[in-house]
Amino acid sequence: MKEVLKNYSGILLLLIGITVGSIIGIVAPQIVEYIKPLGDIFLNLLFVSVVPLVFFAVSNSIASLEQESKFGKILLIMSFTFLFFILTAAVFTIGAVYLFPVSSISGSTELIAEATKEENWGDRTVSFFTVGEFTELFSRKNMLALLIFAFLTGFAARKSGESGKPFRVFIASGYEVMKELLIMIMKIAPIGLGAYFAYQVATLGPQLFGFYAKPLGLYYIAGIIYFFVFFTLYAFMANGQNGIKSFWKNAILPTLTALSTCSSFATMPTNLVAASKIGIPSSVANLVIPIGTTLHKNGSSMSSIIKIYVAFQIIGRDFFEPSNLLLALGITVFVSIVAGGIPNGGYIGEMLMISVYSLPQEAIPAVIIIGTLVDPLATVLNAVGDIVAAMFVNRWLREPQLPL
């Protein structure tokens, strides 16, 4: 019993914190604003620590790879895995809305002005891939630019040969230091996540029973089925029965973190820890999980389909017309890439959807409100999906599996 308590003490404390936070959010929502800063402090500590962790993890993984072909193989298999998972989630959701159609809903017009702010697409593309100042790289709002810079830094460290050895030692040491820092920060997770969960319950709870109950119910039911059935299937494909056992044994903490924070970015440290416990080599996990945090989103894929479907319901158009379905799959892939790994980071994708389909402004509030209300489960599917994706990539690389 002592050994069990020792191994699961972190998860038990986190569950206690989340339970207490949920109770506070339900019975005393008026005090949530006073405890929410505790959650904000915890998230801010995570965010400022994860940014350098991404840089050191990605650049160190590339710099330490011994074979050039190995890196290319990882990228190829990772890209296929991400695309396969995203499209599978989208097709599954299309089947769900076809079998269980929902009636049209109306949204508040209060969000229209905020949602329709225009931005030049050329400038948006440039800012998505690059930044104008070095210091701007280390912002969670510029994750893809940071990943690209980390890639280039890792390549440069490899190409520099013997003269670059001190720098390679530096980035390897930096990665270990940032891992330890995140372990220290996670010690206060029960308090921070409990406070944030109280805020989530108090603010979003009442809206779940309004006009959006049917599409939200469909999303949550489909999402939960996808979470348990498809992730189990992916884990089995990755490593058989042992894969299923090791995945679910180590997916609890990332799931709770994602559910509490609504941030794939904040969940990444626990994902890396889980991947290590599962036995995924660091050369795979340190590439797939940081990149997947930005580019691989099962939950966003599913919510994108739901939002397009609801928007079509509002304006009376046929969502199931073949051309609309194909376009929806294309948009879903893009939305899953551009949706940032931060809370409510999918607004750019939602505006893309509105623009591509030339939808009227009446559809905008419903799309944004649904995107906000499905965020907790969507984040779980996004973040935890990176773990099973890393297992999948490792399976096809035929890397040696560590003892479980």
Side-chain angles (χ1 to χ4, degrees), residues 39-49 140:
D40 291 333
I41 290 172
F42 171 71
L43 284 186
N44 287 342
L45 287 173
L46 268 184
F47 287 143
V48 298
S49 302
R140 68 177 187 268

Side-chain angles (χ1 to χ4, degrees), residues 274-342:
S276 176
K277 291 181 178 179
I278 289 172
I280 302 171
S282 59
S283 60
V284 175
N286 290 347
L287 285 177
V288 175
I289 290 177
I291 295 173
T293 300
T294 301
L295 303 181
H296 171 236
K297 292 178 167 50
N298 295 273
S300 295
S301 173
M302 297 181 70
S303 67
S304 175
I305 295 297
I306 292 287
K307 286 182 283 190
I308 294 173
Y309 173 70
V310 169
F312 272 52
Q313 288 287 90
I314 291 175
I315 63 175
R317 287 174 58 182
D318 183 13
F319 171 72
F320 296 103
E321 183 180 322
S323 60
N324 287 334
L325 288 178
L326 289 175
L327 188 56
L329 291 176
I331 292 175
T332 294
V333 172
F334 190 77
V335 166
S336 299
I337 293 174
V338 303
I342 56 176

